[in-house]
């Protein structure tokens, strides 16, 4: 039955080559922890992706309750934590996931660096990977403001003051992020929300797509 | 993949007329015990993922995500602190050579060089060798960078009074203040500047829902506590009593009198 369904679709859109590219390949011995336990260092990238998926899913559920507005943002988070069934778990996953994803991406970066895995022909993939790290840090910075509690507000104020010191275009950068040259307020919250939920995830998905396509094209770097 | 000459397409589409069977490609690049990704290796990955997920969910249950009280832009006493993974930059900008007139150096040039170097690593370290001893300079730079980041994060964290932060950030339940209470005026004159007009705290801790007894409050107002001055020293006993009763039960209702 399933085979028939597969054949029916395959005959029309030819999915077999795609299937081959995605799943039909061998895993070399040197990256398989079942053969060499030390190969667990190769798990960091996959775990980064796994936590990113958790972040996307938990974030989607958080937006069902969150209101990006200075009157209600804090109250909606408080309500989510106190009243909504499993709200605390979902927010907890997003909160701790945000830290863990940084830890994992850091470990993954160190693994790739110290193994020299970024050398020819994988230079571009390294550049894309570092850009993913930057996007992740951006997501961390913008997401920190959203609960609109004291630590969020004051940390963002400091962050914007640092952005303001950008040579030549400092004022413009700050206004672009905060929505106003002086006030950290309602505009800032909606802008950070838009950046956190739409702009940066879009960039992240594009970069991750490029990252994975390049891994499949180039394969895993050989053993040292 | 089979492309180009000799390929027969159905009509005008790109779909080949002859079906390719779904057999794994020949794999001989790495000698050794290779394993099929699907389904053998993926199953193991899922097991690792499941164990990881259990640990992660345990963390979210054991340590609920923190939420401080609602942002109050007028709270001048609040000391800002970024999330832990920005602490290294936050700490770096505190040093004299990276702040004030040198803030462009501290906030942009040095971090820009560090992250720019990271981004362009493959173009800076171009030699063919991958082993650590074949690229000592690249590895040395990375080790110094990692050590500096860890050190700065540690420095920033050790200068923070976490307990005081937790206290100042605590969410306080709002109470209706009984402004007709005898102790209200005394509170406003002597305590409100530090403990907040609505007992929500400020320079001093929040007093709402205090666990101290009336007698203990009286003692503190007369003798002071820590950095708190002995505000009620030498005042009439009646006023001290009224103040303590007001602090214990600011709404004047029944529930606070227990």
């Amino acid at each position: 039955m399933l085979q028939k369904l597969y054949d029916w679709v395959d005959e029309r859109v030819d999915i077999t080559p795609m299937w081959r590219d995605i799943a039909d390949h061998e895993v070399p011995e040197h990256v398989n922890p079942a053969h060499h336990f030390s190969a667990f260092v190769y798990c960091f990238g996959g775990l980064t992706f796994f936590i990113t998926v958790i972040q996307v899913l938990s974030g989607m559920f958080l937006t069902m309750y969150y209101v990006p507005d200075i009157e209600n943002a804090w109250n909606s988070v408080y309500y989510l934590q106190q009243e909504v069934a499993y709200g605390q778990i979902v927010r907890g996953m997003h909160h701790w996931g945000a830290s863990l994803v940084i830890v994992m991406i850091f470990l993954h970066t160190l693994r790739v660096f110290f193994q020299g895995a970024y050398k020819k022909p994988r230079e571009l993939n390294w550049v894309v990977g570092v850009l993913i790290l930057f996007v992740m840090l951006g997501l961390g910075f913008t997401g920190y403001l959203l609960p609109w509690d004291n630590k969020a507000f004051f940390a963002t104020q400091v962050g914007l003051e640092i952005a303001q010191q950008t040579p030549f275009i400092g004022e413009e950068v700050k206004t672009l992020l905060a929505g106003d040259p002086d006030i950290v307020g309602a505009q800032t919250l909606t802008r950070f929300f838009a950046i956190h939920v739409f702009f940066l995830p879009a960039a992240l998905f594009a970069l991750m797509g490029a990252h994975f396509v390049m891994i499949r094209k180039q394969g895993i770097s050989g053993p040292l | 993949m089979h492309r180009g000459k000799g390929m027969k397409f159905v009509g005008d589409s790109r779909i080949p007329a002859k079906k390719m069977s779904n057999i794994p490609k020949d794999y001989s690049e790495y000698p050794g015990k290779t394993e099929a990704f699907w389904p053998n290796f993926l199953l193991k990955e899922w097991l690792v993922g499941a164990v990881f997920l259990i640990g992660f969910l345990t963390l979210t249950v054991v340590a609920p995500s923190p939420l401080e009280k609602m942002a109050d832009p007028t709270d001048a006493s609040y000391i800002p602190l970024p999330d832990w993974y920005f602490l290294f930059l936050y700490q770096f900008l505190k040093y004299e050579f990276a702040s004030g007139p040198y803030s462009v150096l501290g906030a942009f040039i040095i971090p820009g060089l560090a992250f720019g170097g990271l981004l362009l690593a493959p173009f800076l370290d171009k030699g063919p060798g991958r082993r650590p001893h074949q690229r000592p300079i690249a590895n040395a730079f990375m080790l110094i960078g990692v050590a500096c980041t860890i050190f700065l994060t540690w420095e920033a964290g050790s200068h923070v009074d976490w307990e005081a932060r937790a206290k100042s950030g605590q969410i306080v339940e709002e109470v209706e203040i009984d402004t007709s209470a005898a102790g209200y005026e005394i509170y406003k004159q002597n305590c409100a500047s530090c403990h907040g007009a609505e007992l929500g705290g400020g320079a001093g801790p929040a007093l709402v829902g205090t666990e101290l007894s009336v007698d203990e409050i009286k003692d503190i107002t007369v003798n002071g506590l820590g950095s708190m001055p002995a505000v009620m020293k030498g005042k009439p006993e009646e006023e001290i009593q009224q103040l303590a009763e007001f602090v214990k039960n600011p709404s004047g209702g029944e529930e606070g009198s227990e």
Side-chain angles (χ1 to χ4, degrees):
Chain A
M1 175 65 199
L2 270 179
Q3 187 60 42
K4 267 191 174 167
L5 192 67
Y6 180 89
D7 289 343
W8 191 90
V9 176
D10 192 41
E11 201 180 330
R12 280 153 186 84
V13 281
D14 196 23
I15 56 176
T16 296
M18 285 184 240
W19 161 253
R20 290 180 156 218
D21 287 346
I22 292 168
D24 197 7
H25 55 91
E26 296 277 314
V27 177
E29 180 185 340
H30 74 285
V31 305
N32 194 336
H35 293 302
H36 305 282
F37 182 69
S38 61
F40 73 88
V41 294
Y42 288 93
C43 288
F44 297 145
L47 285 175
T48 306
F49 175 63
F50 184 54
I51 307 169
T52 307
V53 172
I54 291 178
Q55 290 303 90
V56 171
L57 291 176
S58 58
M60 277 157 59
F61 282 101
L62 287 179
T63 56
M64 287 179 156
Y65 287 92
Y66 178 75
V67 184
D69 149 72
I70 53 172
E71 292 282 323
N72 298 311
W74 186 88
N75 287 314
S76 66
V77 176
Y78 188 73
Y79 177 79
L80 179 85
Q81 291 243 115
Q82 305 291 328
E83 309 287 338
V84 179
Y86 303 112
Q88 199 177 78
I89 304 271
V90 175
R91 177 155 183 260
M93 289 172 82
H94 206 70
H95 174 85
W96 293 115
S99 287
L100 266 181
V101 83
I102 301 284
V103 173
M104 285 299 162
I105 207 170
F106 181 68
L107 293 174
H108 178 60
T109 308
L110 291 186
R111 194 278 289 172
V112 173
F113 186 88
F114 286 119
Q115 289 193 338
Y118 53 74
K119 288 184 177 278
K120 193 184 173 188
R122 299 186 176 81
E123 299 98 321
L124 272 181
N125 216 5
W126 167 268
V127 171
V128 168
V130 175
L131 292 178
I132 291 178
L133 171 68
F134 293 166
V135 170
M136 286 291 185
L137 290 174
L139 282 164
F141 177 64
T142 50
Y144 200 58
L145 175 70
L146 300 185
W148 200 250
D149 60 357
N150 253 348
K151 69 173 177 338
F153 178 85
F154 288 103
T156 302
Q157 208 174 37
V158 172
L160 289 171
E161 275 162 22
I162 294 172
Q164 195 178 11
Q165 287 165 359
T166 315
F168 311 119
I169 52 163
E171 288 295 324
E172 284 79 1
V173 169
K174 192 189 176 193
T175 311
L176 179 71
L177 289 172
D180 187 278
D182 302 308
I183 306 166
V184 178
Q187 287 256 34
T188 318
L189 186 58
T190 48
R191 288 205 178 187
F192 272 48
F193 179 74
I195 293 169
H196 185 79
V197 174
F198 295 104
F199 290 83
L200 287 181
L204 183 68
F205 294 156
L207 289 169
M208 283 199 323
H211 207 60
F212 296 154
V213 166
M214 276 192 266
I215 294 171
R216 287 262 45 80
K217 283 244 171 209
Q218 301 173 331
I220 297 165
S221 62
L224 271 178
Chain B
M1 202 185 300
H2 185 66
R3 284 243 186 270
K5 263 193 194 169
M7 204 166 184
K8 207 175 149 204
F9 294 109
V10 181
D12 194 29
S13 77
R14 303 272 88 191
I15 297 168
K18 205 173 139 228
K19 263 195 74 70
M20 281 194 291
S21 56
N22 195 5
I23 37 165
K25 275 177 280 189
D26 183 57
Y27 196 91
S28 52
E29 194 181 339
Y30 305 111
K33 300 171 215 123
T34 62
E35 192 175 13
F37 174 75
W38 172 276
N40 307 26
F41 191 70
L42 190 64
L43 179 68
K44 286 178 192 163
E45 283 195 330
W46 278 1
L47 289 175
V48 172
V51 170
F52 179 84
L53 191 62
I54 290 168
F56 182 59
L57 283 174
T58 312
L59 173 71
T60 65
V61 172
V62 172
S65 46
L67 182 67
E68 293 192 349
K69 62 183 167 200
M70 193 166 163
D72 175 11
T74 61
D75 185 351
S77 67
Y78 194 89
I79 305 160
L81 194 71
D83 217 347
W84 66 267
Y85 42 85
F86 288 118
L87 278 179
F88 72 96
L89 192 59
Y90 174 77
Q91 177 69 17
F92 185 64
L93 291 171
K94 281 191 199 165
Y95 293 112
E96 224 169 281
F97 61 86
S99 55
Y102 308 111
S103 60
V104 172
L105 181 74
F108 289 95
I109 297 177
I110 293 174
L113 283 175
F115 281 104
L118 187 73
L119 182 69
L120 299 175
F123 308 103
L124 299 172
D125 171 31
K126 292 207 287 199
R130 282 180 53 209
R131 290 166 194 277
H133 65 85
Q134 287 168 309
R135 39 196 205 96
I137 298 171
N139 280 330
F141 269 113
M142 191 59 159
L143 286 172
I144 292 170
V146 170
C148 288
T149 308
I150 292 173
F151 171 75
L152 287 171
T153 307
W154 179 263
E155 274 289 288
S158 61
H159 287 164
V160 176
D161 184 350
W162 296 103
E163 269 179 37
R165 283 195 73 81
K167 250 191 188 149
S168 79
Q170 227 164 35
I171 299 167
V172 281
E173 31 184 333
E174 278 181 35
V175 284
E176 259 180 59
I177 305 288
D178 177 15
T179 50
S180 66
Y184 177 69
E185 282 301 318
I186 306 168
Y187 176 82
K188 223 167 74 175
Q189 285 165 18
N190 296 299
C191 319
S193 56
C194 291
H195 292 286
E198 290 173 337
L199 288 76
L207 299 175
V208 179
T210 180
E211 282 167 12
L212 298 168
S213 69
V214 171
D215 286 337
E216 284 169 322
I217 297 170
K218 277 164 73 178
D219 182 59
I220 291 169
T221 59
V222 173
N223 297 320
L225 179 73
S227 59
M228 174 179 154
V231 283
M232 295 302 284
K233 197 165 188 171
K235 298 276 174 73
E237 168 67 19
E238 193 195 340
E239 279 188 21
I240 299 170
Q241 178 71 27
Q242 284 170 344
L243 173 67
E245 275 168 12
F246 170 76
V247 169
K248 182 71 191 166
N249 182 17
S251 61
E254 286 293 305
E255 80 276 37
S257 57
E258 303 163 300

mmCIF file of all heavy atoms in Angstrom, chain A residues 5-31:
data_model
loop_
_atom_site.group_PDB
_atom_site.id
_atom_site.type_symbol
_atom_site.label_atom_id
_atom_site.label_comp_id
_atom_site.label_asym_id
_atom_site.label_seq_id
_atom_site.Cartn_x
_atom_site.Cartn_y
_atom_site.Cartn_z
ATOM 1 N N LEU A 5 1.718 3.916 -3.017
ATOM 2 C CA LEU A 5 1.576 5.364 -2.885
ATOM 3 C C LEU A 5 2.882 6.045 -3.301
ATOM 4 O O LEU A 5 2.886 7.026 -4.044
ATOM 5 C CB LEU A 5 1.242 5.701 -1.425
ATOM 6 C CG LEU A 5 0.775 7.118 -1.151
ATOM 7 C CD1 LEU A 5 -0.574 7.372 -1.797
ATOM 8 C CD2 LEU A 5 0.704 7.373 0.348
ATOM 9 N N TYR A 6 4.002 5.477 -2.791
ATOM 10 C CA TYR A 6 5.318 6.016 -3.129
ATOM 11 C C TYR A 6 5.517 5.981 -4.639
ATOM 12 O O TYR A 6 5.933 6.987 -5.246
ATOM 13 C CB TYR A 6 6.394 5.196 -2.424
ATOM 14 C CG TYR A 6 7.798 5.680 -2.702
ATOM 15 C CD1 TYR A 6 8.385 6.643 -1.896
ATOM 16 C CD2 TYR A 6 8.521 5.190 -3.780
ATOM 17 C CE1 TYR A 6 9.658 7.106 -2.153
ATOM 18 C CE2 TYR A 6 9.794 5.638 -4.059
ATOM 19 C CZ TYR A 6 10.361 6.599 -3.238
ATOM 20 O OH TYR A 6 11.620 7.054 -3.493
ATOM 21 N N ASP A 7 5.210 4.818 -5.255
ATOM 22 C CA ASP A 7 5.406 4.692 -6.702
ATOM 23 C C ASP A 7 4.563 5.705 -7.458
ATOM 24 O O ASP A 7 5.008 6.284 -8.453
ATOM 25 C CB ASP A 7 5.061 3.267 -7.149
ATOM 26 C CG ASP A 7 6.103 2.267 -6.670
ATOM 27 O OD1 ASP A 7 7.209 2.722 -6.301
ATOM 28 O OD2 ASP A 7 5.812 1.059 -6.620
ATOM 29 N N TRP A 8 3.337 5.887 -6.990
ATOM 30 C CA TRP A 8 2.428 6.820 -7.658
ATOM 31 C C TRP A 8 3.017 8.232 -7.662
ATOM 32 O O TRP A 8 3.052 8.908 -8.680
ATOM 33 C CB TRP A 8 1.075 6.811 -6.937
ATOM 34 C CG TRP A 8 -0.015 7.524 -7.679
ATOM 35 C CD1 TRP A 8 -0.873 6.990 -8.588
ATOM 36 C CD2 TRP A 8 -0.369 8.913 -7.562
ATOM 37 N NE1 TRP A 8 -1.728 7.945 -9.055
ATOM 38 C CE2 TRP A 8 -1.448 9.128 -8.451
ATOM 39 C CE3 TRP A 8 0.131 9.985 -6.819
ATOM 40 C CZ2 TRP A 8 -2.045 10.382 -8.593
ATOM 41 C CZ3 TRP A 8 -0.461 11.226 -6.959
ATOM 42 C CH2 TRP A 8 -1.548 11.421 -7.848
ATOM 43 N N VAL A 9 3.502 8.661 -6.476
ATOM 44 C CA VAL A 9 4.095 9.992 -6.379
ATOM 45 C C VAL A 9 5.395 10.049 -7.175
ATOM 46 O O VAL A 9 5.649 10.995 -7.925
ATOM 47 C CB VAL A 9 4.338 10.373 -4.900
ATOM 48 C CG1 VAL A 9 5.055 11.714 -4.797
ATOM 49 C CG2 VAL A 9 3.028 10.421 -4.134
ATOM 50 N N ASP A 10 6.187 8.983 -7.048
ATOM 51 C CA ASP A 10 7.504 8.956 -7.690
ATOM 52 C C ASP A 10 7.388 9.064 -9.205
ATOM 53 O O ASP A 10 8.175 9.743 -9.864
ATOM 54 C CB ASP A 10 8.219 7.660 -7.307
ATOM 55 C CG ASP A 10 9.682 7.694 -7.700
ATOM 56 O OD1 ASP A 10 10.304 8.759 -7.509
ATOM 57 O OD2 ASP A 10 10.195 6.689 -8.197
ATOM 58 N N GLU A 11 6.375 8.381 -9.753
ATOM 59 C CA GLU A 11 6.179 8.396 -11.194
ATOM 60 C C GLU A 11 5.912 9.808 -11.697
ATOM 61 O O GLU A 11 6.256 10.168 -12.811
ATOM 62 C CB GLU A 11 4.989 7.487 -11.508
ATOM 63 C CG GLU A 11 4.935 6.990 -12.934
ATOM 64 C CD GLU A 11 3.719 6.108 -13.138
ATOM 65 O OE1 GLU A 11 3.287 5.452 -12.159
ATOM 66 O OE2 GLU A 11 3.186 6.113 -14.235
ATOM 67 N N ARG A 12 5.287 10.619 -10.853
ATOM 68 C CA ARG A 12 4.891 11.956 -11.272
ATOM 69 C C ARG A 12 5.919 13.029 -10.945
ATOM 70 O O ARG A 12 6.150 13.947 -11.725
ATOM 71 C CB ARG A 12 3.534 12.308 -10.642
ATOM 72 C CG ARG A 12 2.406 11.676 -11.412
ATOM 73 C CD ARG A 12 1.181 11.405 -10.558
ATOM 74 N NE ARG A 12 0.186 10.678 -11.336
ATOM 75 C CZ ARG A 12 0.193 9.370 -11.494
ATOM 76 N NH1 ARG A 12 1.142 8.638 -10.929
ATOM 77 N NH2 ARG A 12 -0.731 8.776 -12.218
ATOM 78 N N VAL A 13 6.528 12.954 -9.743
ATOM 79 C CA VAL A 13 7.469 14.020 -9.386
ATOM 80 C C VAL A 13 8.897 13.517 -9.188
ATOM 81 O O VAL A 13 9.766 14.298 -8.803
ATOM 82 C CB VAL A 13 7.019 14.793 -8.120
ATOM 83 C CG1 VAL A 13 5.942 15.781 -8.462
ATOM 84 C CG2 VAL A 13 6.568 13.860 -7.039
ATOM 85 N N ASP A 14 9.119 12.235 -9.411
ATOM 86 C CA ASP A 14 10.485 11.719 -9.395
ATOM 87 C C ASP A 14 11.209 12.030 -8.093
ATOM 88 O O ASP A 14 12.188 12.786 -8.063
ATOM 89 C CB ASP A 14 11.256 12.327 -10.582
ATOM 90 C CG ASP A 14 12.530 11.543 -10.845
ATOM 91 O OD1 ASP A 14 12.590 10.358 -10.452
ATOM 92 O OD2 ASP A 14 13.458 12.108 -11.440
ATOM 93 N N ILE A 15 10.700 11.480 -6.993
ATOM 94 C CA ILE A 15 11.305 11.814 -5.702
ATOM 95 C C ILE A 15 12.470 10.898 -5.341
ATOM 96 O O ILE A 15 13.177 11.160 -4.371
ATOM 97 C CB ILE A 15 10.271 11.807 -4.547
ATOM 98 C CG1 ILE A 15 9.549 10.470 -4.463
ATOM 99 C CG2 ILE A 15 9.291 12.944 -4.680
ATOM 100 C CD1 ILE A 15 8.595 10.396 -3.298
ATOM 101 N N THR A 16 12.703 9.836 -6.116
ATOM 102 C CA THR A 16 13.780 8.922 -5.739
ATOM 103 C C THR A 16 15.153 9.599 -5.640
ATOM 104 O O THR A 16 15.868 9.381 -4.668
ATOM 105 C CB THR A 16 13.821 7.730 -6.708
ATOM 106 O OG1 THR A 16 12.600 7.011 -6.544
ATOM 107 C CG2 THR A 16 14.985 6.799 -6.404
ATOM 108 N N PRO A 17 15.546 10.444 -6.598
ATOM 109 C CA PRO A 17 16.844 11.108 -6.454
ATOM 110 C C PRO A 17 16.926 11.963 -5.193
ATOM 111 O O PRO A 17 17.961 12.020 -4.533
ATOM 112 C CB PRO A 17 16.940 11.984 -7.705
ATOM 113 C CG PRO A 17 16.025 11.367 -8.678
ATOM 114 C CD PRO A 17 14.913 10.775 -7.882
ATOM 115 N N MET A 18 15.808 12.624 -4.840
ATOM 116 C CA MET A 18 15.811 13.448 -3.624
ATOM 117 C C MET A 18 16.012 12.565 -2.404
ATOM 118 O O MET A 18 16.802 12.875 -1.508
ATOM 119 C CB MET A 18 14.465 14.157 -3.475
ATOM 120 C CG MET A 18 14.252 15.315 -4.408
ATOM 121 S SD MET A 18 12.676 16.067 -3.998
ATOM 122 C CE MET A 18 11.826 15.873 -5.524
ATOM 123 N N TRP A 19 15.304 11.478 -2.409
ATOM 124 C CA TRP A 19 15.401 10.530 -1.308
ATOM 125 C C TRP A 19 16.848 10.050 -1.156
ATOM 126 O O TRP A 19 17.387 9.983 -0.064
ATOM 127 C CB TRP A 19 14.442 9.355 -1.584
ATOM 128 C CG TRP A 19 14.744 8.135 -0.795
ATOM 129 C CD1 TRP A 19 15.295 6.985 -1.232
ATOM 130 C CD2 TRP A 19 14.519 7.958 0.609
ATOM 131 N NE1 TRP A 19 15.438 6.091 -0.224
ATOM 132 C CE2 TRP A 19 14.970 6.659 0.926
ATOM 133 C CE3 TRP A 19 13.998 8.780 1.617
ATOM 134 C CZ2 TRP A 19 14.901 6.152 2.220
ATOM 135 C CZ3 TRP A 19 13.934 8.256 2.902
ATOM 136 C CH2 TRP A 19 14.374 6.974 3.194
ATOM 137 N N ARG A 20 17.483 9.765 -2.325
ATOM 138 C CA ARG A 20 18.878 9.324 -2.293
ATOM 139 C C ARG A 20 19.761 10.395 -1.687
ATOM 140 O O ARG A 20 20.617 10.123 -0.859
ATOM 141 C CB ARG A 20 19.361 9.045 -3.711
ATOM 142 C CG ARG A 20 18.731 7.840 -4.301
ATOM 143 C CD ARG A 20 19.269 7.659 -5.698
ATOM 144 N NE ARG A 20 19.139 6.262 -6.062
ATOM 145 C CZ ARG A 20 20.023 5.598 -6.761
ATOM 146 N NH1 ARG A 20 21.083 6.201 -7.197
ATOM 147 N NH2 ARG A 20 19.835 4.339 -7.032
ATOM 148 N N ASP A 21 19.548 11.636 -2.120
ATOM 149 C CA ASP A 21 20.414 12.707 -1.622
ATOM 150 C C ASP A 21 20.272 12.895 -0.122
ATOM 151 O O ASP A 21 21.225 13.206 0.572
ATOM 152 C CB ASP A 21 20.075 14.021 -2.341
ATOM 153 C CG ASP A 21 20.572 13.992 -3.777
ATOM 154 O OD1 ASP A 21 21.379 13.103 -4.089
ATOM 155 O OD2 ASP A 21 20.144 14.838 -4.574
ATOM 156 N N ILE A 22 19.038 12.714 0.374
ATOM 157 C CA ILE A 22 18.811 13.018 1.785
ATOM 158 C C ILE A 22 19.244 11.860 2.674
ATOM 159 O O ILE A 22 19.985 12.054 3.640
ATOM 160 C CB ILE A 22 17.319 13.350 2.028
ATOM 161 C CG1 ILE A 22 16.974 14.669 1.352
ATOM 162 C CG2 ILE A 22 17.032 13.444 3.518
ATOM 163 C CD1 ILE A 22 15.489 14.925 1.282
ATOM 164 N N ALA A 23 18.786 10.649 2.352
ATOM 165 C CA ALA A 23 18.913 9.573 3.334
ATOM 166 C C ALA A 23 19.788 8.415 2.889
ATOM 167 O O ALA A 23 20.281 7.669 3.723
ATOM 168 C CB ALA A 23 17.520 9.041 3.671
ATOM 169 N N ASP A 24 19.990 8.255 1.597
ATOM 170 C CA ASP A 24 20.613 7.024 1.127
ATOM 171 C C ASP A 24 22.111 7.197 0.970
ATOM 172 O O ASP A 24 22.617 7.418 -0.127
ATOM 173 C CB ASP A 24 19.972 6.628 -0.213
ATOM 174 C CG ASP A 24 20.264 5.182 -0.526
ATOM 175 O OD1 ASP A 24 20.824 4.504 0.351
ATOM 176 O OD2 ASP A 24 19.931 4.753 -1.637
ATOM 177 N N HIS A 25 22.819 7.143 2.083
ATOM 178 C CA HIS A 25 24.271 7.238 2.010
ATOM 179 C C HIS A 25 24.858 6.473 3.182
ATOM 180 O O HIS A 25 24.172 6.156 4.143
ATOM 181 C CB HIS A 25 24.730 8.689 2.021
ATOM 182 C CG HIS A 25 24.211 9.469 3.191
ATOM 183 N ND1 HIS A 25 24.891 9.569 4.367
ATOM 184 C CD2 HIS A 25 23.061 10.171 3.358
ATOM 185 C CE1 HIS A 25 24.182 10.309 5.207
ATOM 186 N NE2 HIS A 25 23.077 10.674 4.632
ATOM 187 N N GLU A 26 26.142 6.195 3.070
ATOM 188 C CA GLU A 26 26.795 5.433 4.125
ATOM 189 C C GLU A 26 27.389 6.391 5.150
ATOM 190 O O GLU A 26 27.810 7.492 4.826
ATOM 191 C CB GLU A 26 27.914 4.595 3.523
ATOM 192 C CG GLU A 26 27.439 3.544 2.539
ATOM 193 C CD GLU A 26 26.973 2.289 3.233
ATOM 194 O OE1 GLU A 26 27.681 1.821 4.138
ATOM 195 O OE2 GLU A 26 25.892 1.779 2.875
ATOM 196 N N VAL A 27 27.449 5.930 6.413
ATOM 197 C CA VAL A 27 28.097 6.706 7.460
ATOM 198 C C VAL A 27 29.476 6.110 7.680
ATOM 199 O O VAL A 27 29.587 4.942 8.050
ATOM 200 C CB VAL A 27 27.279 6.656 8.762
ATOM 201 C CG1 VAL A 27 27.997 7.413 9.861
ATOM 202 C CG2 VAL A 27 25.892 7.215 8.535
ATOM 203 N N PRO A 28 30.554 6.892 7.449
ATOM 204 C CA PRO A 28 31.892 6.319 7.595
ATOM 205 C C PRO A 28 32.209 5.940 9.040
ATOM 206 O O PRO A 28 31.620 6.485 9.984
ATOM 207 C CB PRO A 28 32.811 7.431 7.094
ATOM 208 C CG PRO A 28 31.991 8.651 7.004
ATOM 209 C CD PRO A 28 30.565 8.264 6.961
ATOM 210 N N GLU A 29 33.128 5.016 9.183
ATOM 211 C CA GLU A 29 33.437 4.467 10.506
ATOM 212 C C GLU A 29 33.926 5.531 11.489
ATOM 213 O O GLU A 29 33.543 5.522 12.660
ATOM 214 C CB GLU A 29 34.511 3.387 10.329
ATOM 215 C CG GLU A 29 34.930 2.741 11.628
ATOM 216 C CD GLU A 29 36.088 1.764 11.431
ATOM 217 O OE1 GLU A 29 36.301 1.324 10.292
ATOM 218 O OE2 GLU A 29 36.763 1.466 12.427
ATOM 219 N N HIS A 30 34.745 6.473 11.006
ATOM 220 C CA HIS A 30 35.399 7.384 11.955
ATOM 221 C C HIS A 30 34.454 8.397 12.577
ATOM 222 O O HIS A 30 34.851 9.096 13.506
ATOM 223 C CB HIS A 30 36.574 8.105 11.282
ATOM 224 C CG HIS A 30 36.156 9.168 10.312
ATOM 225 N ND1 HIS A 30 35.665 8.870 9.071
ATOM 226 C CD2 HIS A 30 36.147 10.515 10.401
ATOM 227 C CE1 HIS A 30 35.382 10.002 8.436
ATOM 228 N NE2 HIS A 30 35.661 11.008 9.218
ATOM 229 N N VAL A 31 33.209 8.511 12.072
ATOM 230 C CA VAL A 31 32.280 9.441 12.736
ATOM 231 C C VAL A 31 31.217 8.680 13.518
ATOM 232 O O VAL A 31 30.282 9.278 14.048
ATOM 233 C CB VAL A 31 31.573 10.377 11.725
ATOM 234 C CG1 VAL A 31 32.590 11.107 10.894
ATOM 235 C CG2 VAL A 31 30.600 9.625 10.853
#
